[in-house]
Amino acid sequence: MKTCQSFFKTHINSRLINLIFISSSLGLILYLVFSSFSSFSTFSTLPSTRILLLGGDVFSSPTSLDHVVFGIASNAKAWPTRKEYVKMWWKPDKMRGCVFLDVGLNNNNNNNNDNNTVLSEDEILPPVCISDDTSRFRYTWRGGLRSAIRVARVVKETVALNHSNVRWFVFGDDDTVFFHENLVKTLSKYDHELPYFIGSNSESFIQNRFFSFSMAFGGAGFAISYPLAKTLAKVLDSCLERYHHLYGSDGRISSCLAELGVGITREPGFHQMDMSGDPFGVLAAHPMAPLVSLHHPDYLDPIFPKMTNRDAMRHLYKAAELDPHRILQQTVCYDRWFSWTISISWGYAVEVFGSHILLPDVLRVPATFRPWKKGGVLHTLFSFDMREHNKDPCRRPVAFHMNKTILEGDQTVSIYKIVEPANCTSNLGSPRGIEMIKVHAPKFNLDMKQLLAPRRQCCDVLPSSWHEKLEIGIRECHEDELIQMPH
Ligand SMILES: *[C@@H]1O[C@H](CO)[C@@H](O)[C@H](O)[C@H]1NC(C)=O
Ligand SMILES: *[C@@H]1O[C@H](CO)[C@@H](O)[C@H](O)[C@H]1NC(C)=O
Ligand SMILES: *[C@@H]1O[C@H](CO)[C@@H](O)[C@H](O)[C@H]1NC(C)=O
Ligand SMILES: *[C@@H]1O[C@H](CO)[C@@H](O)[C@H](O)[C@H]1NC(C)=O
């Protein structure tokens, strides 16, 4: 275990590092020149991949995980269980940062690394940092947790870790899981030398109404660009004095950033997951953006039925590792023969409707979950379009959950099956009779064009299908193709 201290270093200009890095790599220059002139010739200045040959301004290499430092907020009591989620996404040899605890762990060495056969937990988890004492700060939200101050200061203490070549600081809770390829892709859209505060607010209307619509909710995770984080770290303590009346850490951070004149840049791939029950709907009708984070895995039903919360999350990661950019991306196609509508959330689930449904209605989130907290009708309001989730499973679209995913060259094959069969009178001609759905897709490689102007892909029911085994191919849509219900 390592205790973190707050030292400030002389800031090495990251541009200089980039310059050295790139000039030693002619191949990369050629790549950047080629990609910026061929594929995106209409965008003369692309964030973070721009190269200004004449201005002599910036040579910027693409943003990668090497440029990110994480600050994870936990505490000594929760960490022994929550670390299981962090293990799912933390890459010890590729990621930098700390998990911040209130006090040290009583390491009775229950990590069985005695025989040098398995990696010890210290080797697969982020280093532990102990937060500074915050008892001098006031906390006046009645009934709240004053740990909010400590957690807000994770931002300052992560900056003080003094890592070099940092473009982004990313913060999350110990039950926030990140999809790092998508996190990096999403951040690469933005110029890390400008003051950015990137995240998303709650799905729950009442949570936003209560806390703020313009706050990045901490459980969803958020990112702060290097220069902004440096500035924030300097002034944060003075803000903490002023915002003693707020509830949480995220309110303190966004209030302080507001005072610095910076508002949130919303990215819909960050998920606070302020709901309870079955999150199926939110994952099955994901917005057209790479999945960056999920939160509250222990407060929701397991994302795959008949598994524990943890096994279910690990199962999702298996698909995400195969094709991170495509995970949860929704594609819709129509079966003419049986008049079905098929909605694929890649790597997670397929919904098959027994009739043809217009596309905008398919894209609505089925209300499979319950409000985060019990209360009046306001608690049932969410900030996305919803569709009914019938109480009677026989009157719902049929849900198939991902069974496995396989990589075949640069193609993926993902298989979906019914895990919870409904007890309905007849399956004849109904999608309930489908035994498995096999989806073929090219591995998705998000380029800057798709990140800046996302376009949904298309799919086809393949001729090899028969009633019990549906085969579907995902592909790019043609220029003028409509995802259209057959007549
Ligand atoms: C901070 O960075 C400087 C320069 O890289 C280094 O000399 C110093 O030891 C670092 N401090 C800590 C606490 O890591
Ligand atoms: C490690 O070795 C000791 C004896 O050297 C043995 O008692 C113990 O069971 C071993 N532990 C594991 C996890 O293999
Ligand atoms: C995949 O399907 C097989 C056969 O139906 C089943 O035994 C297995 O448990 C399924 N795996 C998952 C993860 O659902
Ligand atoms: C399905 O219905 C039959 C007959 O009503 C009943 O015996 C059986 O337990 C039901 N199965 C499930 C899974 O609900």
Side-chain angles (χ1 to χ4, degrees):
M1 180 192 319
K2 160 167 153 253
T3 310
C4 299
Q5 294 140 21
S6 311
F7 293 115
F8 284 89
K9 68 152 189 174
T10 46
H11 161 44
I12 299 176
N13 193 327
S14 66
R15 291 179 181 183
L16 185 63
I17 291 174
N18 291 331
L19 184 69
I20 297 163
F21 172 57
I22 295 221
S23 22
S24 68
S25 167
L26 183 63
L28 187 52
I29 293 186
L30 289 177
Y31 165 75
L32 289 172
V33 170
F34 182 76
S35 61
S36 66
F37 291 160
S38 66
S39 358
F40 331 115
S41 51
T42 48
F43 296 101
S44 53
T45 52
L46 275 176
S48 80
T49 49
R50 67 199 158 151
I51 44 164
L52 305 181
L53 292 169
L54 298 177
D57 179 19
V58 178
F59 281 84
S60 237
S61 59
T63 292
S64 73
L65 202 50
D66 300 337
H67 299 117
V68 179
V69 172
F70 292 88
I72 305 160
S74 188
N75 58 70
K77 193 164 161 246
W79 182 239
T81 51
R82 291 287 174 78
K83 69 185 177 191
E84 295 305 324
Y85 284 111
V86 175
K87 272 182 201 169
M88 293 180 204
W89 62 271
W90 184 260
K91 304 276 168 273
D93 46 345
K94 290 199 198 133
M95 292 181 177
R96 299 180 292 173
C98 248
V99 53
F100 287 83
L101 305 183
D102 45 351
V103 292
L105 293 166
N106 279 334
N107 251 350
N108 303 337
N109 265 355
N110 36 11
N111 41 349
N112 330 306
N113 57 329
D114 340 355
N115 300 355
N116 282 337
T117 48
V118 278
L119 285 176
S120 78
E121 286 209 311
D122 289 349
E123 289 169 286
I124 58 172
L125 284 169
V128 170
C129 291
I130 306 301
S131 302
D132 289 346
D133 175 40
T134 53
S135 54
R136 68 184 181 281
F137 294 97
R138 275 201 300 159
Y139 183 88
T140 56
W141 175 283
R142 209 172 282 178
L145 298 169
R146 62 170 295 117
S147 62
I149 300 163
R150 182 181 71 82
V151 171
R153 288 182 95 257
V154 162
V155 172
K156 181 185 163 95
E157 292 174 12
T158 303
V159 171
L161 292 175
N162 195 9
H163 286 294
S164 57
N165 195 20
V166 183
R167 293 185 182 180
W168 297 96
F169 291 97
V170 173
F171 303 98
D173 288 348
D174 51 9
D175 63 342
T176 308
V177 298
F178 287 103
F179 295 80
H180 69 83
E181 295 93 340
N182 295 338
L183 170 69
V184 164
K185 269 289 166 192
T186 300
L187 296 179
S188 74
K189 278 162 55 175
Y190 301 95
D191 184 342
H192 56 276
E193 298 186 358
L194 301 179
Y196 275 113
F197 173 40
I198 299 172
S200 95
N201 55 20
S202 177
E203 300 82 2
S204 152
F205 168 81
I206 199 104
Q207 287 281 102
N208 289 326
R209 170 84 176 71
F210 197 73
F211 291 110
S212 168
F213 284 89
S214 51
M215 172 176 108
F217 278 58
F222 55 88
I224 303 182
S225 60
Y226 181 85
L228 182 60
K230 284 293 260 191
T231 310
L232 178 64
K234 256 183 261 172
V235 301
L236 183 64
D237 283 352
S238 76
C239 295
L240 293 177
E241 302 288 355
R242 241 172 342 276
Y243 293 99
H244 56 83
H245 59 288
L246 296 184
Y247 168 75
S249 60
D250 40 12
R252 286 166 167 77
I253 296 297
S254 70
S255 300
C256 200
L257 287 171
E259 289 196 7
L260 286 171
V262 178
I264 180 182
T265 296
R266 284 191 184 80
E267 272 293 344
F270 290 84
H271 295 281
Q272 169 75 8
M273 303 301 278
D274 278 342
M275 59 201 65
S276 63
D278 186 355
F280 179 88
V282 179
L283 306 180
H286 191 266
M288 245 196 299
L291 170 67
V292 175
S293 71
L294 292 172
H295 182 223
H296 282 151
D298 281 338
Y299 294 92
L300 288 154
D301 294 350
I303 57 179
F304 290 97
K306 300 190 174 166
M307 284 191 196
T308 65
N309 292 68
R310 286 174 195 175
D311 285 346
M313 191 62 82
R314 287 189 195 104
H315 192 52
L316 186 70
Y317 267 105
K318 277 188 235 151
E321 275 158 23
L322 223 58
D323 191 349
H325 298 169
R326 197 183 285 285
I327 190 84
L328 300 192
Q329 298 308 298
Q330 192 183 8
T331 318
V332 176
C333 43
Y334 296 94
D335 179 88
R336 287 170 175 271
W337 186 262
F338 290 106
S339 293
W340 293 334
T341 303
I342 301 150
S343 167
I344 302 163
S345 166
W346 191 89
Y348 175 60
V350 179
E351 267 189 299
V352 184
F353 299 71
S355 60
H356 283 158
I357 312 282
L358 287 166
L359 181 69
D361 299 327
V362 180
L363 301 181
R364 288 171 169 268
V365 172
T368 58
F369 42 84
R370 298 187 304 274
W372 172 239
K373 287 192 173 126
K374 288 210 176 85
V377 69
L378 288 182
H379 289 259
T380 66
L381 303 182
F382 289 89
S383 58
F384 37 66
D385 298 327
M386 302 213 279
R387 60 172 140 94
E388 189 198 6
H389 181 65
N390 203 305
K391 281 200 174 64
D392 176 2
C394 300
R395 305 179 71 181
R396 284 180 207 154
V398 184
F400 299 76
H401 285 86
M402 186 269 289
N403 180 276
K404 64 176 167 191
T405 47
I406 311 152
L407 195 60
E408 287 181 355
D410 55 0
Q411 295 268 322
T412 59
V413 177
S414 47
I415 292 175
Y416 306 81
K417 292 181 180 174
I418 296 175
V419 182
E420 291 177 312
N423 218 351
C424 310
T425 45
S426 167
N427 288 346
L428 201 66
S430 149
R432 282 188 300 275
I434 303 171
E435 273 162 25
M436 70 133 93
I437 300 174
K438 198 169 174 183
V439 175
H440 304 263
K443 199 171 166 188
F444 202 22
N445 199 1
L446 277 169
D447 60 18
M448 195 54 81
K449 219 160 46 171
Q450 282 156 315
L451 282 166
L452 295 176
R455 188 168 170 207
R456 195 176 302 285
Q457 295 206 321
C458 284
C459 56
D460 307 292
V461 176
L462 301 178
S464 50
S465 297
W466 71 90
H467 180 258
E468 287 77 25
K469 186 178 165 200
L470 207 51
E471 291 214 46
I472 298 182
I474 298 181
R475 56 170 173 83
E476 261 180 46
C477 302
H478 308 302
E479 184 77 30
D480 60 354
E481 184 171 2
L482 297 168
I483 305 172
Q484 184 192 16
M485 205 165 89
H487 312 290

Short mmCIF file of all heavy atoms in Angstrom, two decimals, residues 5-10 12 160-162 164, ligand 1:
data_model
loop_
_atom_site.label_atom_id
_atom_site.label_comp_id
_atom_site.label_asym_id
_atom_site.label_seq_id
_atom_site.Cartn_x
_atom_site.Cartn_y
_atom_site.Cartn_z
N GLN A 5 1.16 11.60 -1.31
CA GLN A 5 1.41 12.91 -0.77
C GLN A 5 1.17 13.94 -1.85
O GLN A 5 1.11 13.62 -3.01
CB GLN A 5 2.85 12.99 -0.27
CG GLN A 5 3.06 12.06 0.90
CD GLN A 5 4.38 11.37 0.82
OE1 GLN A 5 5.28 11.83 0.15
NE2 GLN A 5 4.50 10.26 1.51
N SER A 6 1.02 15.16 -1.41
CA SER A 6 0.71 16.20 -2.37
C SER A 6 1.93 17.02 -2.69
O SER A 6 2.24 17.98 -2.02
CB SER A 6 -0.38 17.09 -1.79
OG SER A 6 -1.41 16.28 -1.29
N PHE A 7 2.61 16.62 -3.72
CA PHE A 7 3.71 17.41 -4.23
C PHE A 7 3.31 17.96 -5.59
O PHE A 7 2.62 17.30 -6.33
CB PHE A 7 4.96 16.55 -4.43
CG PHE A 7 5.53 16.03 -3.15
CD1 PHE A 7 5.54 14.67 -2.89
CD2 PHE A 7 6.06 16.90 -2.22
CE1 PHE A 7 6.07 14.19 -1.71
CE2 PHE A 7 6.60 16.41 -1.04
CZ PHE A 7 6.60 15.06 -0.77
N PHE A 8 3.79 19.13 -5.89
CA PHE A 8 3.54 19.63 -7.24
C PHE A 8 4.84 19.61 -8.01
O PHE A 8 5.88 19.97 -7.49
CB PHE A 8 2.98 21.06 -7.19
CG PHE A 8 1.56 21.05 -6.80
CD1 PHE A 8 1.18 21.13 -5.47
CD2 PHE A 8 0.58 20.91 -7.77
CE1 PHE A 8 -0.14 21.08 -5.10
CE2 PHE A 8 -0.75 20.88 -7.40
CZ PHE A 8 -1.12 20.96 -6.07
N LYS A 9 4.74 19.19 -9.23
CA LYS A 9 5.97 19.15 -10.01
C LYS A 9 5.98 20.32 -10.98
O LYS A 9 4.97 20.97 -11.18
CB LYS A 9 6.03 17.84 -10.78
CG LYS A 9 4.99 17.79 -11.85
CD LYS A 9 5.41 16.92 -12.99
CE LYS A 9 4.41 17.10 -14.12
NZ LYS A 9 4.78 16.45 -15.32
N THR A 10 7.11 20.56 -11.54
CA THR A 10 7.13 21.53 -12.63
C THR A 10 6.51 20.84 -13.83
O THR A 10 6.90 19.76 -14.21
CB THR A 10 8.56 21.94 -12.96
OG1 THR A 10 9.32 20.75 -13.03
CG2 THR A 10 9.12 22.87 -11.91
N ILE A 12 5.80 19.61 -17.19
CA ILE A 12 6.49 19.45 -18.47
C ILE A 12 5.47 19.63 -19.57
O ILE A 12 4.43 18.98 -19.58
CB ILE A 12 7.12 18.04 -18.58
CG1 ILE A 12 8.14 17.86 -17.46
CG2 ILE A 12 7.77 17.85 -19.93
CD1 ILE A 12 8.73 16.48 -17.43
N ALA A 160 -2.39 15.79 -7.74
CA ALA A 160 -1.15 15.87 -6.96
C ALA A 160 -0.30 14.61 -7.06
O ALA A 160 0.84 14.60 -6.58
CB ALA A 160 -1.48 16.18 -5.51
N LEU A 161 -0.84 13.56 -7.68
CA LEU A 161 -0.02 12.35 -7.88
C LEU A 161 1.11 12.64 -8.84
O LEU A 161 2.06 11.86 -8.96
CB LEU A 161 -0.86 11.19 -8.43
CG LEU A 161 -1.90 10.59 -7.49
CD1 LEU A 161 -2.72 9.55 -8.23
CD2 LEU A 161 -1.21 9.97 -6.29
N ASN A 162 0.92 13.75 -9.61
CA ASN A 162 2.11 14.25 -10.28
C ASN A 162 2.54 13.38 -11.46
O ASN A 162 3.72 13.26 -11.75
CB ASN A 162 3.21 14.31 -9.21
CG ASN A 162 4.40 15.13 -9.61
OD1 ASN A 162 4.35 15.81 -10.64
ND2 ASN A 162 5.46 15.05 -8.83
N SER A 164 3.15 12.28 -15.32
CA SER A 164 3.55 13.08 -16.48
C SER A 164 2.74 12.65 -17.71
O SER A 164 2.13 11.58 -17.73
CB SER A 164 5.03 12.89 -16.75
OG SER A 164 5.30 11.53 -16.92
C1 LIG B 1 6.74 15.04 -9.28
O1 LIG B 1 7.37 15.13 -10.56
C2 LIG B 1 8.70 15.60 -10.52
C3 LIG B 1 9.19 15.73 -11.94
O2 LIG B 1 8.79 14.66 -12.75
C4 LIG B 1 9.54 14.64 -9.68
O3 LIG B 1 10.84 15.12 -9.58
C5 LIG B 1 8.91 14.50 -8.30
O4 LIG B 1 9.61 13.54 -7.55
C6 LIG B 1 7.47 14.08 -8.39
N1 LIG B 1 6.83 14.01 -7.09
C7 LIG B 1 6.05 12.96 -6.71
C8 LIG B 1 5.43 13.07 -5.38
O5 LIG B 1 5.85 11.97 -7.38
#
